[in-house]
Amino acid sequence: MKGVYFDGSKAVYREDLPTPEPENDHSRIRVLYANVCSTDKEILKGYRPQFHGVMGHEFVGVVDKTDRPELLGKTVVGELNEGCGSCLYCRSGREKHCPDRKVIGLDSLDGCFAEYFVEADHLVHIVPDGLPPEQAVYTEPLAAALEIPVQVHMDPRKNVAIIGDGRLAFMIAQVLHLTGAHLTVIGKHREKLDAFMSFAEKTRLVGEFSDPSNAGQTENVYAENAALAHDPDRTYEVVIEATGSPDGIKLAQKIVRRQGTIVLKSTYAGMTEIDMSIFVVNEITLVGSRCGPFEPALRLLQKGLIRFPEVEWHELCDFQAAFSSKAFKAGFHICDQ
Amino acid sequence: MKGVYFDGSKAVYREDLPTPEPENDHSRIRVLYANVCSTDKEILKGYRPQFHGVMGHEFVGVVDKTDRPELLGKTVVGELNEGCGSCLYCRSGREKHCPDRKVIGLDSLDGCFAEYFVEADHLVHIVPDGLPPEQAVYTEPLAAALEIPVQVHMDPRKNVAIIGDGRLAFMIAQVLHLTGAHLTVIGKHREKLDAFMSFAEKTRLVGEFSDPSNAGQTENVYAENAALAHDPDRTYEVVIEATGSPDGIKLAQKIVRRQGTIVLKSTYAGMTEIDMSIFVVNEITLVGSRCGPFEPALRLLQKGLIRFPEVEWHELCDFQAAFSSKAFKAGFHICDQ
């Protein structure tokens, strides 16, 4: 079969991959659409040198071989993390935190940038009738956005800011504007911010704020407190950091209200220099947030409450173009329904 | 009057300080005992070069001049932060976060390392009958410890660790062991840890853990997850960082359970290098925590539920010895009752 394979150092398009056979409690899925996530690009940069296998973890497909008749022929999406099933985390419904977990397209399991792949049955979710596959493929990133209201009480009176204007920020904004909160999206690119303007109350350029790299010097905290007395910037009760860059957290520290919450959604490799005393002096809560729940994501998609960024579809053999695309969103159209 | 004065670069003992007169809505307090806090030592290191005045912010004293008859002659303790009274934070009961706040002994207001000082009436708390002043002087640090259960739900089933074996850690341990939680105290000094052994379930030396500076390299997170599969170290649902050193947060990242909470209690000047992706991948919540509520602290003290570290009392003129003391706790005995 055709697929995009990571050999430990680079991605390769192959047509000689063996079509996988499902083992017990697993089903085989014929992939219709698969989206490129920034984590896939991180793999190409060396994020997971130990991984060898088919890439990709955002997909929609049709179950074509399974022991479970209720799944056969169904259009499905699926979660990434397959746990051991017996540890503390697996037993408490937190499989994604299993220390022995395998992750499709990222760790020990082949992913979905191929015509077929195999997934554990309990990770599969049936796509509701009427939801087109080109929309269902957004379930995984939308679920990740929904992890925020799982973790943080999104009081609809709140003044909320999202830092970032990429796809992750877009999905988060889609979820948070539905709460009724006052939503500001802060980004570096005027043209990307325009995509948020129809549903966010406000968009702002990062450059409108004073230099965030000076936000946190301990020795200046008190002088700064005085200077910021009536600073309209420090006004957001919840700030979501979704830039994928260390600068985002520093801006978040600068604009979050005292006793407010920063949700850290983006990961980046390596160490960040940060003034931890800001968290203590201003009693900020920082919440790390990763994968989220699929079922509410499917409900919101089915209700038509989620808008979509423009997608640029590619063939698998055209993977270089998909990975390097500057479009808001790029993905693969692999098989027809 | 006598007092310890900070002149912008060093502390000086003076006997020629003017005895202060209380203005409207303020009372004058004759100081009985005052404790040295690590923040006082930070001032000597240059933490607040803009501050000029009498140092000190932990005290117990007797009101000797006031417009409020119910305060006159009473033994009192008092809060540090005097807000503007009209901003968002002051109007929502969060005066300690007022951007225009003044702080006794630290910012714009004379402190309590003197025979007399003046404080706003609304910051004064009457010490309950029967509570000796040598114990009431612990109200402020105990209140800071009580800010933790104000912010974080201390489920008594939880496995809690405190990193630090100094006085702040001691007061936090005093509060947390009362919740019934399983409490482990982790420190660098065996002899200091001994002071915790009668009420903490467990004490451990930092050296028992593998090198925390390697805890957080992003590229190793997944390899490490596998290695830590059955790691008994990553077992604490709540970790309190109270070391006063940047190493504490790194050890906290290493030992906190996935989806657990780190409470950051200590401040230190300057920037810390930290791997922020640990917070995201393991969905850790970090809670910054500062000053806390006085009334519950006085209730716990009055009930005799709080034990005390050994205190070394000094005269004001002997301030160098008090500041450089290696005792668990040093303070000033200023006036007799």
Side-chain angles (χ1 to χ4, degrees):
Chain A
M1 67 172 187
K2 299 171 188 169
V4 178
Y5 186 90
F6 184 70
D7 68 4
S9 65
K10 63 182 185 307
V12 190
Y13 171 68
R14 287 171 56 176
E15 298 192 344
D16 63 342
L17 292 167
T19 302
E21 285 297 318
E23 294 175 17
N24 278 350
D25 303 320
H26 283 66
S27 295
R28 187 170 70 193
I29 295 159
R30 189 166 59 88
V31 183
L32 305 176
Y33 294 92
N35 272 354
V36 176
C37 168
S38 57
T39 313
D40 299 317
K41 298 179 187 175
E42 290 292 314
I43 286 186
L44 300 182
K45 289 185 203 159
Y47 177 48
R48 296 286 182 87
Q50 67 273 39
F51 176 63
H52 290 64
V54 178
M55 297 176 67
H57 58 271
E58 296 183 16
F59 71 94
V60 60
V62 175
V63 176
D64 91 320
K65 190 166 185 185
T66 180
D67 289 336
R68 292 180 53 182
E70 72 273 22
L71 288 179
L72 191 66
K74 294 288 184 189
T75 302
V76 297
V77 292
E79 300 180 47
L80 287 70
N81 300 285
E82 185 179 334
C84 70
S86 60
C87 74
L88 168 71
Y89 298 98
C90 288
R91 282 183 285 116
S92 58
R94 299 180 290 168
E95 184 169 3
K96 66 174 170 173
H97 285 292
C98 172
D100 283 330
R101 66 185 175 272
K102 300 169 180 174
V103 190
I104 63 167
L106 291 166
D107 190 356
S108 310
L109 293 177
D110 281 329
C112 60
F113 292 168
E115 290 172 285
Y116 295 89
F117 87 111
V118 155
E119 177 153 63
D121 292 332
H122 73 281
L123 298 178
V124 167
H125 297 256
I126 295 174
V127 173
D129 288 342
L131 179 60
E134 307 93 300
Q135 296 186 13
V137 73
Y138 281 100
T139 307
E140 198 281 330
L142 184 60
L146 281 162
E147 181 71 358
I148 295 170
V150 167
Q151 297 175 291
V152 178
H153 176 202
M154 293 304 302
D155 179 338
R157 298 168 300 183
K158 277 183 177 160
N159 206 4
V160 177
I162 297 172
I163 308 176
D165 52 19
R167 189 186 56 126
L168 176 60
F170 191 90
M171 299 312 277
I172 293 167
Q174 284 295 317
V175 166
L176 297 190
H177 94 101
L178 295 176
T179 66
H182 186 281
L183 183 60
T184 300
V185 180
I186 301 163
K188 282 189 176 167
H189 315 90
R190 186 68 264 167
E191 71 285 4
K192 288 190 176 184
L193 286 173
D194 288 346
F196 294 82
M197 284 179 69
S198 62
F199 57 93
E201 275 62 40
K202 203 167 178 183
T203 59
R204 297 179 71 176
L205 283 163
V206 169
E208 292 177 31
F209 299 88
S210 49
D211 182 7
S213 64
N214 294 324
Q217 303 293 340
T218 305
E219 50 278 23
N220 297 332
V221 165
Y222 285 83
E224 193 201 342
N225 274 337
L228 287 175
H230 308 286
D231 181 359
D233 282 354
R234 199 183 285 279
T235 191
Y236 303 103
E237 286 139 312
V238 179
V239 177
I240 319 291
E241 201 293 284
T243 61
S245 131
D247 288 342
I249 183 72
K250 290 172 189 174
L251 180 57
Q253 282 188 321
K254 191 175 173 61
I255 67 175
V256 69
R257 201 174 278 185
R258 293 162 178 85
Q259 294 193 319
T261 299
I262 298 172
V263 179
L264 195 56
K265 203 63 195 172
S266 58
T267 51
Y268 26 81
M271 306 297 271
T272 303
E273 277 225 322
I274 193 162
D275 185 345
M276 299 301 288
S277 75
I278 295 279
F279 295 113
V280 179
V281 172
N282 287 343
E283 292 192 312
I284 304 308
T285 295
L286 178 79
V287 179
S289 180
R290 197 163 51 100
C291 309
F294 269 47
E295 290 298 323
L298 287 167
R299 287 193 286 273
L300 290 179
L301 286 166
Q302 191 186 21
K303 286 172 213 263
L305 287 166
I306 306 299
R307 302 178 205 193
F308 298 92
E310 252 180 80
V311 187
E312 190 182 272
W313 296 115
H314 294 267
E315 303 280 310
L316 281 173
C317 60
D318 204 21
F319 73 96
Q320 303 276 21
F323 287 160
S324 60
S325 169
K326 298 283 177 204
F328 212 83
K329 180 65 191 154
F332 297 109
H333 181 184
I334 302 176
C335 301
D336 289 322
Q337 196 157 18
Chain B
M1 67 172 186
K2 299 171 188 170
V4 179
Y5 186 89
F6 184 70
D7 68 4
S9 66
K10 64 182 186 303
V12 190
Y13 170 68
R14 288 172 54 176
E15 297 191 345
D16 63 343
L17 292 167
T19 302
E21 286 296 320
E23 293 176 17
N24 277 351
D25 303 320
H26 284 67
S27 295
R28 187 170 70 191
I29 295 159
R30 189 167 58 89
V31 183
L32 304 176
Y33 294 93
N35 273 354
V36 176
C37 168
S38 57
T39 312
D40 299 318
K41 298 178 187 176
E42 290 293 314
I43 287 185
L44 299 182
K45 290 184 202 160
Y47 177 49
R48 294 286 181 87
Q50 67 274 38
F51 176 64
H52 290 64
V54 178
M55 298 176 67
H57 58 272
E58 296 183 16
F59 72 92
V60 59
V62 175
V63 175
D64 91 320
K65 191 167 185 184
T66 180
D67 289 336
R68 292 179 54 182
E70 72 274 22
L71 288 179
L72 191 64
K74 295 288 184 188
T75 303
V76 297
V77 291
E79 299 181 47
L80 287 70
N81 300 284
E82 185 178 335
C84 70
S86 61
C87 75
L88 168 71
Y89 299 97
C90 288
R91 282 183 285 115
S92 57
R94 299 181 291 168
E95 184 170 3
K96 66 174 171 173
H97 285 292
C98 172
D100 283 330
R101 65 185 177 272
K102 301 170 181 174
V103 190
I104 63 167
L106 291 166
D107 189 356
S108 309
L109 292 177
D110 281 328
C112 60
F113 292 167
E115 291 173 286
Y116 296 90
F117 87 110
V118 156
E119 177 153 62
D121 292 332
H122 73 282
L123 298 178
V124 167
H125 296 257
I126 295 174
V127 173
D129 288 342
L131 179 61
E134 306 92 301
Q135 296 185 12
V137 73
Y138 282 100
T139 307
E140 198 281 329
L142 184 60
L146 281 162
E147 181 70 357
I148 296 171
V150 167
Q151 297 174 292
V152 178
H153 176 201
M154 294 305 300
D155 179 339
R157 299 167 300 181
K158 277 184 176 160
N159 206 5
V160 177
I162 298 172
I163 307 177
D165 52 19
R167 187 186 58 127
L168 177 60
F170 191 90
M171 299 312 276
I172 292 167
Q174 284 295 316
V175 166
L176 298 191
H177 94 101
L178 296 175
T179 66
H182 185 283
L183 183 61
T184 300
V185 180
I186 301 163
K188 282 190 176 165
H189 315 90
R190 186 67 264 167
E191 70 285 4
K192 288 190 176 182
L193 286 174
D194 288 346
F196 294 82
M197 284 179 70
S198 62
F199 57 94
E201 275 63 40
K202 203 166 177 181
T203 59
R204 297 179 71 175
L205 284 163
V206 169
E208 292 177 31
F209 299 88
S210 50
D211 181 7
S213 64
N214 293 324
Q217 303 294 339
T218 305
E219 50 277 24
N220 297 333
V221 165
Y222 286 82
E224 191 200 343
N225 274 338
L228 287 175
H230 308 286
D231 181 359
D233 283 353
R234 198 183 285 280
T235 192
Y236 303 104
E237 285 138 313
V238 179
V239 177
I240 319 292
E241 200 295 284
T243 61
S245 129
D247 288 341
I249 184 71
K250 289 172 190 174
L251 180 57
Q253 282 189 321
K254 191 176 175 59
I255 66 175
V256 70
R257 201 174 278 186
R258 292 162 178 83
Q259 293 192 319
T261 300
I262 298 172
V263 179
L264 195 56
K265 203 64 195 173
S266 58
T267 51
Y268 27 80
M271 306 297 271
T272 303
E273 277 224 323
I274 192 161
D275 184 345
M276 300 301 288
S277 74
I278 294 281
F279 294 113
V280 179
V281 172
N282 287 343
E283 292 193 310
I284 304 307
T285 295
L286 177 79
V287 178
S289 180
R290 197 164 50 101
C291 309
F294 270 47
E295 290 297 324
L298 287 166
R299 287 194 286 273
L300 289 180
L301 286 165
Q302 192 187 21
K303 288 172 212 264
L305 287 167
I306 306 300
R307 304 178 205 195
F308 297 92
E310 253 180 79
V311 187
E312 192 183 271
W313 295 115
H314 294 267
E315 303 279 310
L316 280 173
C317 59
D318 204 20
F319 73 97
Q320 302 276 22
F323 287 160
S324 60
S325 168
K326 297 284 177 202
F328 212 84
K329 180 66 192 156
F332 297 109
H333 181 185
I334 302 175
C335 300
D336 290 322
Q337 197 158 19

